[in-house]
mmCIF file of all heavy atoms in Angstrom:
data_model
loop_
_atom_site.group_PDB
_atom_site.id
_atom_site.type_symbol
_atom_site.label_atom_id
_atom_site.label_comp_id
_atom_site.label_asym_id
_atom_site.label_seq_id
_atom_site.Cartn_x
_atom_site.Cartn_y
_atom_site.Cartn_z
ATOM 1 N N ASN X 209 -83.468 -6.470 -149.872
ATOM 2 C CA ASN X 209 -84.087 -5.143 -149.874
ATOM 3 C C ASN X 209 -85.100 -5.010 -148.743
ATOM 4 O O ASN X 209 -85.227 -3.930 -148.139
ATOM 5 C CB ASN X 209 -84.779 -4.886 -151.217
ATOM 6 C CG ASN X 209 -83.788 -4.790 -152.361
ATOM 7 O OD1 ASN X 209 -82.659 -4.344 -152.183
ATOM 8 N ND2 ASN X 209 -84.200 -5.218 -153.550
ATOM 9 N N TRP X 210 -85.808 -6.077 -148.456
ATOM 10 C CA TRP X 210 -86.764 -6.045 -147.346
ATOM 11 C C TRP X 210 -86.056 -5.859 -146.011
ATOM 12 O O TRP X 210 -86.537 -5.127 -145.132
ATOM 13 C CB TRP X 210 -87.577 -7.342 -147.319
ATOM 14 C CG TRP X 210 -88.402 -7.579 -148.548
ATOM 15 C CD1 TRP X 210 -88.696 -6.661 -149.521
ATOM 16 C CD2 TRP X 210 -89.054 -8.790 -148.935
ATOM 17 N NE1 TRP X 210 -89.481 -7.229 -150.498
ATOM 18 C CE2 TRP X 210 -89.719 -8.538 -150.165
ATOM 19 C CE3 TRP X 210 -89.133 -10.059 -148.386
ATOM 20 C CZ2 TRP X 210 -90.451 -9.513 -150.833
ATOM 21 C CZ3 TRP X 210 -89.861 -11.042 -149.049
ATOM 22 C CH2 TRP X 210 -90.521 -10.770 -150.249
ATOM 23 N N ALA X 213 -85.007 -2.340 -145.695
ATOM 24 C CA ALA X 213 -86.196 -1.510 -145.476
ATOM 25 C C ALA X 213 -86.654 -1.598 -144.021
ATOM 26 O O ALA X 213 -87.085 -0.598 -143.434
ATOM 27 C CB ALA X 213 -87.324 -1.947 -146.410
ATOM 28 N N ASP X 217 -87.168 1.934 -141.937
ATOM 29 C CA ASP X 217 -88.451 2.387 -141.382
ATOM 30 C C ASP X 217 -89.433 1.225 -141.448
ATOM 31 O O ASP X 217 -89.932 0.879 -142.520
ATOM 32 C CB ASP X 217 -88.983 3.584 -142.175
ATOM 33 C CG ASP X 217 -90.185 4.234 -141.517
ATOM 34 O OD1 ASP X 217 -90.898 3.551 -140.764
ATOM 35 O OD2 ASP X 217 -90.421 5.433 -141.757
ATOM 36 N N LYS X 218 -89.715 0.618 -140.303
ATOM 37 C CA LYS X 218 -90.578 -0.565 -140.268
ATOM 38 C C LYS X 218 -91.999 -0.244 -140.717
ATOM 39 O O LYS X 218 -92.640 -1.038 -141.410
ATOM 40 C CB LYS X 218 -90.600 -1.158 -138.860
ATOM 41 C CG LYS X 218 -89.321 -1.872 -138.468
ATOM 42 C CD LYS X 218 -89.454 -2.494 -137.096
ATOM 43 C CE LYS X 218 -88.223 -3.328 -136.764
ATOM 44 N NZ LYS X 218 -86.995 -2.509 -136.768
ATOM 45 N N VAL X 219 -92.518 0.921 -140.317
ATOM 46 C CA VAL X 219 -93.888 1.277 -140.672
ATOM 47 C C VAL X 219 -94.021 1.445 -142.179
ATOM 48 O O VAL X 219 -94.947 0.924 -142.807
ATOM 49 C CB VAL X 219 -94.317 2.562 -139.941
ATOM 50 C CG1 VAL X 219 -95.718 2.983 -140.401
ATOM 51 C CG2 VAL X 219 -94.294 2.350 -138.434
ATOM 52 N N SER X 220 -93.089 2.161 -142.771
ATOM 53 C CA SER X 220 -93.119 2.355 -144.224
ATOM 54 C C SER X 220 -92.943 1.032 -144.954
ATOM 55 O O SER X 220 -93.576 0.793 -145.986
ATOM 56 C CB SER X 220 -92.024 3.339 -144.642
ATOM 57 O OG SER X 220 -92.231 4.606 -144.058
ATOM 58 N N ALA X 221 -92.081 0.179 -144.420
ATOM 59 C CA ALA X 221 -91.866 -1.126 -145.038
ATOM 60 C C ALA X 221 -93.139 -1.951 -145.003
ATOM 61 O O ALA X 221 -93.492 -2.616 -145.989
ATOM 62 C CB ALA X 221 -90.734 -1.861 -144.326
ATOM 63 N N ARG X 222 -93.850 -1.910 -143.877
ATOM 64 C CA ARG X 222 -95.102 -2.660 -143.758
ATOM 65 C C ARG X 222 -96.153 -2.095 -144.707
ATOM 66 O O ARG X 222 -96.895 -2.843 -145.358
ATOM 67 C CB ARG X 222 -95.605 -2.599 -142.317
ATOM 68 C CG ARG X 222 -96.805 -3.506 -142.043
ATOM 69 C CD ARG X 222 -97.327 -3.360 -140.631
ATOM 70 N NE ARG X 222 -96.288 -3.591 -139.654
ATOM 71 C CZ ARG X 222 -95.782 -2.649 -138.860
ATOM 72 N NH1 ARG X 222 -96.236 -1.404 -138.958
ATOM 73 N NH2 ARG X 222 -94.847 -2.939 -137.989
ATOM 74 N N ASN X 223 -96.213 -0.776 -144.786
ATOM 75 C CA ASN X 223 -97.189 -0.145 -145.688
ATOM 76 C C ASN X 223 -96.882 -0.426 -147.151
ATOM 77 O O ASN X 223 -97.785 -0.390 -147.996
ATOM 78 C CB ASN X 223 -97.215 1.365 -145.450
ATOM 79 C CG ASN X 223 -97.769 1.721 -144.073
ATOM 80 O OD1 ASN X 223 -98.503 0.940 -143.471
ATOM 81 N ND2 ASN X 223 -97.405 2.894 -143.577
ATOM 82 N N ALA X 224 -95.614 -0.700 -147.435
ATOM 83 C CA ALA X 224 -95.224 -1.002 -148.815
ATOM 84 C C ALA X 224 -95.498 -2.453 -149.196
ATOM 85 O O ALA X 224 -95.212 -2.863 -150.326
ATOM 86 C CB ALA X 224 -93.746 -0.687 -149.016
ATOM 87 N N GLY X 225 -96.040 -3.224 -148.275
ATOM 88 C CA GLY X 225 -96.393 -4.610 -148.564
ATOM 89 C C GLY X 225 -95.310 -5.617 -148.242
ATOM 90 O O GLY X 225 -95.435 -6.798 -148.589
ATOM 91 N N ILE X 226 -94.259 -5.181 -147.592
ATOM 92 C CA ILE X 226 -93.177 -6.097 -147.213
ATOM 93 C C ILE X 226 -93.634 -6.950 -146.025
ATOM 94 O O ILE X 226 -94.190 -6.410 -145.065
ATOM 95 C CB ILE X 226 -91.903 -5.306 -146.848
ATOM 96 C CG1 ILE X 226 -91.374 -4.582 -148.083
ATOM 97 C CG2 ILE X 226 -90.828 -6.217 -146.265
ATOM 98 C CD1 ILE X 226 -90.194 -3.669 -147.818
ATOM 99 N N PRO X 227 -93.434 -8.274 -146.077
ATOM 100 C CA PRO X 227 -93.842 -9.146 -144.960
ATOM 101 C C PRO X 227 -92.905 -8.971 -143.760
ATOM 102 O O PRO X 227 -92.078 -9.835 -143.464
ATOM 103 C CB PRO X 227 -93.758 -10.540 -145.567
ATOM 104 C CG PRO X 227 -92.706 -10.426 -146.627
ATOM 105 C CD PRO X 227 -92.840 -9.046 -147.194
ATOM 106 N N THR X 228 -93.032 -7.865 -143.080
ATOM 107 C CA THR X 228 -92.101 -7.508 -142.012
ATOM 108 C C THR X 228 -92.089 -8.525 -140.873
ATOM 109 O O THR X 228 -91.029 -8.825 -140.321
ATOM 110 C CB THR X 228 -92.445 -6.121 -141.448
ATOM 111 O OG1 THR X 228 -93.821 -6.118 -141.016
ATOM 112 C CG2 THR X 228 -92.265 -5.050 -142.510
#
Side-chain angles (χ1 to χ4, degrees):
N209 294 328
W210 298 346
D217 189 335
K218 287 183 174 60
V219 176
S220 298
R222 188 183 305 112
N223 293 337
I226 295 175
T228 56

